[in-house]
Amino acid sequence: MSTASTSFIDRRTVVDWLGIAPFMIFALMFLIVPTLYLVTGAFFTPDGQFTFKNIADLFTPSIMSAYWISIRVSVASALGGALIGFFLAWAIVLGGVPSWVRSGLLTFSGVASNFAGVPLAFAFLATLGRTGLVTVLLRDWIGFNLYATGFNILSFFGLTITYMFFQIPLMVLILTPALDGMKKEWREASEILGASTWQYWRMVALPILWPSLMGTSLLLFANAFGAIATAYALTGSSLNIVPILLYAQIRGDVLHNANLGYALALGMIVITGVSNILYILLSRRAERWQK
């Protein structure tokens, strides 16, 4: 290799590294270093002594209750979002709907999947709150009192419904490419062999889509588990979930031990990390069928 070629390759390598340097610096400063700080802080006392007490204190009833409520909300919204999102994705890919419906739904899904926080909480309060539009219309036009049934937008069920607003479109966006990757030859081959539609889905389509379905459901779980802005704006402190408890700890040391707050964050990192790792593994397995 000539000197000129070597010099060109070196300059290109430098340019490539300069191109990704801002991302690496950003990830290091705002993701890697803070995460390492939290992880190490979870194993020390405020005086700097090594201890496992912070980890053990995570199993106190109040903190375990917060984790349990968070897991329940995340599982419920993930399953609901996955189920409804699957049928929506199936309708726009295999249901024979017009192309403008598909493009419109995908565009809406791209917007709705990122619509969260205070605006989403306000939208649901204005729609399903005690004086919300739908609540008032049901009461005045039909005579149906929604809140007389025990429904409360500030409850576990209300938060789950609110989370599903961005969980469903996220499922549509991720699952649509997987359904697009289903080859027509598979359906034709099953029909030639005499398989019914149910047999095709049970023996061919669902086993192929299963890694995508499971992986996306895990991603939805992690997405809901780490959400804070929507839950805090909607319920305040009335629903004791882990992100709200951690937020209160950051603002006022409600646990009376800053390092216990680090342990609380470490627990969230472990749960969401495991979910994301399983999602990546399942996504790789699903990609084998799409190649």
Side-chain angles (χ1 to χ4, degrees), residues 47-275:
D47 298 330
Q49 301 295 323
F50 183 83
T51 181
F52 286 105
K53 186 177 185 302
N54 298 323
I55 304 299
D57 287 344
L58 292 179
F59 296 93
T60 57
S62 61
I63 296 179
M64 287 299 296
S65 174
Y67 272 107
W68 178 235
I69 294 175
S70 294
I71 290 173
R72 286 170 55 207
V73 171
S74 301
V75 170
S77 64
L79 291 179
L83 182 63
I84 299 174
F86 169 76
F87 284 109
L88 281 175
W90 177 88
I92 64 176
V93 175
L94 304 174
V97 297
S99 59
W100 63 269
V101 174
R102 171 178 174 140
S103 61
L105 184 56
L106 289 178
T107 300
F108 171 78
S109 297
V111 175
S113 62
N114 293 286
F115 185 66
V118 176
L120 179 61
F122 173 77
F124 269 81
L125 285 172
T127 304
L128 292 173
R130 289 189 177 273
T131 57
L133 177 63
V134 173
T135 305
V136 172
L137 291 179
L138 289 175
R139 184 192 62 199
D140 296 344
W141 289 12
I142 305 178
F144 176 73
N145 189 342
L146 180 63
Y147 278 78
T149 64
F151 173 81
N152 187 354
I153 193 64
L154 307 181
S155 65
F156 165 85
F157 185 66
L159 183 60
T160 300
I161 293 177
T162 306
Y163 276 7
M164 285 175 62
F165 183 87
F166 57 78
Q167 298 281 60
I168 294 171
L170 183 59
M171 181 70 175
V172 172
L173 290 176
I174 298 177
L175 195 60
T176 297
L179 290 171
D180 279 328
M182 298 289 292
K183 297 180 180 179
K184 295 181 180 179
E185 291 83 353
W186 299 339
R187 181 63 178 266
E188 294 171 354
S190 65
E191 290 177 350
I192 292 173
L193 294 173
S196 63
T197 301
W198 165 245
Q199 289 174 325
Y200 164 74
W201 277 97
R202 183 169 61 89
M203 299 180 181
V204 179
L206 286 179
I208 293 174
L209 291 173
W210 188 247
S212 296
L213 291 170
M214 286 296 299
T216 307
S217 298
L218 288 168
L219 182 63
L220 296 183
F221 171 85
N223 188 43
F225 191 82
I228 168 63
T230 301
Y232 188 78
L234 184 70
T235 66
S237 58
S238 62
L239 198 62
N240 185 35
I241 62 175
V242 177
I244 291 180
L245 181 61
L246 182 59
Y247 178 69
Q249 166 66 16
I250 293 172
R251 294 190 63 185
D253 192 18
V254 297
L255 301 177
H256 308 294
N257 181 0
N259 294 79
L260 179 55
Y262 299 154
L264 193 69
L266 176 60
M268 292 186 62
I269 292 172
V270 170
I271 292 174
T272 56
V274 170
S275 300

Side-chain angles (χ1 to χ4, degrees), residues 268-285:
M268 292 186 62
I269 292 172
V270 170
I271 292 174
T272 56
V274 170
S275 300
N276 284 304
I277 290 173
L278 291 175
Y279 163 72
I280 293 172
L281 294 176
L282 289 169
S283 296
R284 290 180 177 177
R285 181 175 180 180

Side-chain angles (χ1 to χ4, degrees), residues 1-11:
M1 183 178 295
S2 65
T3 305
S5 299
T6 304
S7 177
F8 173 76
I9 294 174
D10 291 340
R11 287 198 300 270

